[in-house]
Amino acid sequence: MNRPFLLLLTSVLGTACTGSGSFLNVKFERLDVHEVTWDEVDTDFVFTVSNPNPIGIQMHRFDYALSFDGIEWVSGDDPDGLEISAVDDSEVALPAVVGFEELYDMVQALRGSDDIPFEISGNFGFDTEYTPIDIPYSADGAFPAVRKPTVDFSRIQMDSLDGTSAIFEVELDVDNEHESSLWLSNFDYTLELEGSRVASGILDTFELEPVAEGASRGTVSIPVEIDLVDATIAVLDAVFSSSADLELSASVDVETPFGLIPMTIDRSGSVSIE
């Protein structure tokens, strides 16, 4: 039995009639994120439950079905119910861990979207002195979708070459699968060419804007200057050839709907020199 999801379902009822004729009012407040990675998010769904009655209210039982984009994720029932405090606005925190890969595989989430719709429905009940009463409920909303951007080599653009130095830029393709802009900051990198370190540093914050089809590709340029006098034979051969073997190690912070998520990058491959 998944009690966290049961609390969520109890909380999204909106309004519920009690035995005294007064109403419980339930409102979603926020998501409190404890930890988020590119694999999953550990978060609390926080609700406010208002009970105007002078005594606590016991919801005796409820059942639930939670779906994402029309596909059932989890369902069940709780015969124990939930106690709501008297004459008070109480916060109910629902802890939940959602794995992104499993979720995206299930709903076949499309590239270019920022969230996935969810739907909740079921019944909750009170036992009165006359008869049990079951009241149906339903709610829907949107759950933020987090997709890890991909970074790949594009090309090496030669800017200048003389007898003592070679200056060029290594261009990286960064793929943003979200509908909205993607912000990257603190791009801390080390670049090796033919096994020799040729550049390192930290790039400023940059933005990948969305495009018409709902996802975008952006370019990041890493400046490189090679002292040809001190360069190894392998580096010299690469500079004067049409391609070079590169290795990139980097860390970067990515702004997501859940806040900043750190990302590491390790790429290697042969890249053309233009």
Side-chain angles (χ1 to χ4, degrees):
M1 181 182 302
N2 192 329
R3 289 194 60 83
F5 278 116
L6 300 181
L7 292 177
L8 167 64
L9 298 171
T10 302
S11 302
V12 296
L13 304 181
T15 58
C17 182
T18 70
S20 65
S22 299
F23 287 84
L24 296 177
N25 183 52
V26 183
K27 183 176 68 172
F28 175 73
E29 292 289 345
R30 65 187 183 275
L31 284 174
D32 283 348
V33 176
H34 302 298
E35 184 178 7
V36 60
T37 69
W38 296 109
D39 298 320
E40 63 184 24
V41 57
D42 181 359
T43 185
D44 284 346
F45 293 81
V46 181
F47 299 82
T48 297
V49 183
S50 300
N51 177 16
N53 298 278
I55 60 173
I57 302 299
Q58 176 68 41
M59 288 185 274
H60 294 95
R61 63 195 171 275
F62 52 90
D63 57 51
Y64 65 94
L66 171 65
S67 300
F68 284 98
D69 204 16
I71 302 175
E72 186 173 291
W73 174 268
V74 64
S75 64
D77 62 82
D78 184 359
D80 297 328
L82 182 68
E83 182 75 26
I84 303 299
S85 301
V87 195
D88 195 12
D89 288 344
S90 303
E91 278 199 347
V92 177
L94 159 70
V97 176
V98 178
F100 292 122
E101 183 176 357
E102 181 183 2
L103 180 60
Y104 297 160
D105 287 346
M106 183 186 76
V107 304
Q108 297 182 344
L110 298 177
R111 168 187 170 90
S113 61
D114 279 351
D115 51 51
I116 297 175
F118 70 82
E119 309 86 31
I120 301 170
S121 62
N123 297 275
F124 71 97
F126 302 97
D127 290 332
T128 72
E129 59 183 306
Y130 304 107
T131 184
I133 298 175
D134 291 316
I135 302 174
Y137 67 87
S138 63
D140 55 45
F143 192 85
V146 172
R147 294 175 174 83
K148 188 176 183 178
T150 58
V151 179
D152 291 303
F153 292 117
S154 175
R155 64 173 183 167
I156 300 175
Q157 178 66 49
M158 184 71 70
D159 291 335
S160 67
L161 177 63
D162 56 33
T164 60
S165 66
I167 299 175
F168 55 87
E169 292 183 344
V170 175
E171 293 186 357
L172 306 174
D173 276 340
V174 183
D175 193 1
N176 170 24
E177 295 191 19
H178 292 82
E179 181 182 10
S180 59
S181 292
L182 187 67
W183 289 90
L184 287 78
S185 59
N186 301 319
F187 194 97
D188 190 346
Y189 68 91
T190 298
L191 184 70
E192 293 186 359
L193 187 151
E194 302 293 343
S196 298
R197 178 181 293 191
V198 293
S200 62
I202 299 178
L203 299 180
D204 293 335
T205 299
F206 54 95
E207 176 186 11
L208 298 180
E209 297 181 352
V211 292
E213 60 268 27
S216 66
R217 299 185 68 91
T219 300
V220 179
S221 295
I222 296 178
V224 178
E225 181 174 1
I226 297 176
D227 187 329
L228 298 180
V229 176
D230 296 331
T232 65
I233 297 299
V235 170
L236 289 175
D237 287 343
V239 169
F240 292 98
S241 67
S242 59
S243 65
D245 289 333
L246 292 178
E247 292 186 16
L248 172 69
S249 299
S251 62
V252 62
D253 292 328
V254 184
E255 181 68 43
T256 76
F258 290 112
L260 286 177
I261 304 179
M263 184 177 78
T264 58
I265 302 167
D266 290 292
R267 290 287 184 274
S268 61
S270 181
V271 185
S272 62
I273 301 177
E274 300 178 7

